Amino acid sequence: MKRLMALVLAAVVTLLPFTALAGSGYTEFPKSAIAYMEIKYRCGCTRVGTGAMICANGLITAGHNLVCEKHHKTAKNIVFYFGYKSKSNYFYKYDDECSYWYFDSFKNGYQSKDDIGYVRFKRDVGKTTGWFATRYAGDAEFKGKSCRIGAYSSSGSLTIHSATLSVSSSKLFTFNKKELPYGGEGAPIFIYRNNVATLVGVYNSHTSTKCVGRRLTQGVFDDMAKNLRFERIYRN
């Protein structure tokens, strides 16, 4: 499917759009690298979501956090709060210009299999927040693997859920939770490899019995590598 791109311009630019509130919010990794996203689309719709840093200047999330799945209009403004507890209590805020890419505009209806996207910041946000390592691999490596999902709720409460992965297809994971709170879409699905928090997918939807996540595949990673700057693993 053709890759789509849009430029996000903040509706309000403050004098200090990259302000970090030292000692506020969640300062410990990996919570510091998970963002609560407030999104406004060009169609007028709004929503909240979750995203996670995966390199110095890049964040991964669900595609429908970047394009409205109902009206197919792109995001006009996104504010990212890292380590968020409240509007006055967060670790780092980014509300300046960024670029983003997504893999499905949902014009043919919603499907989980390409509901993934990523954001490039014009500053090295990850050098303050830290970032997740990333990994794609064959089914055998992930089947039955214990994982964690760092998801915000609509009110901005961050929970690190524990679950067990199942392989649904070459693009999809499922895990043994019926549902995560609204606001959790885009949450990182991660495992620990050699004690390093490693992102392997993104939560994007649920059925009546289980949660669904888009796997990080070589195709997605290669696309991201064209536009993001991947470096050595960095953590606070």
Side-chain angles (χ1 to χ4, degrees), residues 135-143 167 173 215:
R135 182 167 178 80
Y136 56 87
D139 296 352
E141 181 167 324
F142 300 122
K143 185 177 181 180
V167 174
F173 288 131
R215 296 173 66 168

Side-chain angles (χ1 to χ4, degrees), residues 94-114:
Y94 186 98
D95 62 357
D96 197 30
E97 181 180 315
C98 61
S99 300
Y100 58 81
W101 292 259
Y102 51 93
F103 291 82
D104 192 349
S105 62
F106 312 109
K107 290 182 178 180
N108 296 316
Y110 179 80
Q111 296 185 76
S112 298
K113 65 182 181 69
D114 285 311

Side-chain angles (χ1 to χ4, degrees), residues 141-236:
E141 181 167 324
F142 300 122
K143 185 177 181 180
K145 185 81 172 180
S146 296
C147 71
R148 298 181 184 181
I149 307 97
Y152 279 99
S153 67
S154 59
S155 63
S157 176
L158 176 60
T159 301
I160 305 296
H161 304 267
S162 296
T164 301
L165 285 178
S166 297
V167 174
S168 179
S169 71
S170 62
K171 290 185 175 183
L172 294 175
F173 288 131
T174 59
F175 52 92
N176 57 333
K177 285 189 174 294
K178 291 184 66 174
E179 185 177 356
L180 295 184
Y182 168 76
E185 293 93 337
I189 302 170
F190 62 100
I191 61 175
Y192 279 91
R193 299 182 69 251
N194 301 318
N195 295 317
V196 175
T198 303
L199 184 144
V200 297
V202 170
Y203 165 66
N204 60 25
S205 60
H206 63 88
T207 69
S208 60
T209 58
K210 55 194 172 185
C211 288
V212 180
R214 176 51 156 90
R215 296 173 66 168
L216 180 59
T217 57
Q218 183 174 357
V220 171
F221 183 86
D222 289 348
D223 193 272
M224 294 193 301
K226 297 174 185 176
N227 298 295
L228 304 180
R229 191 176 69 255
F230 286 91
E231 303 173 5
R232 64 176 178 80
I233 294 170
Y234 178 91
R235 293 179 296 159
N236 279 357

Side-chain angles (χ1 to χ4, degrees), residues 56-72:
N57 67 341
L59 171 142
I60 197 166
T61 188
H64 72 264
N65 286 337
L66 305 176
V67 56
C68 177
E69 61 181 287
K70 182 178 180 181
H71 300 110
H72 325 300

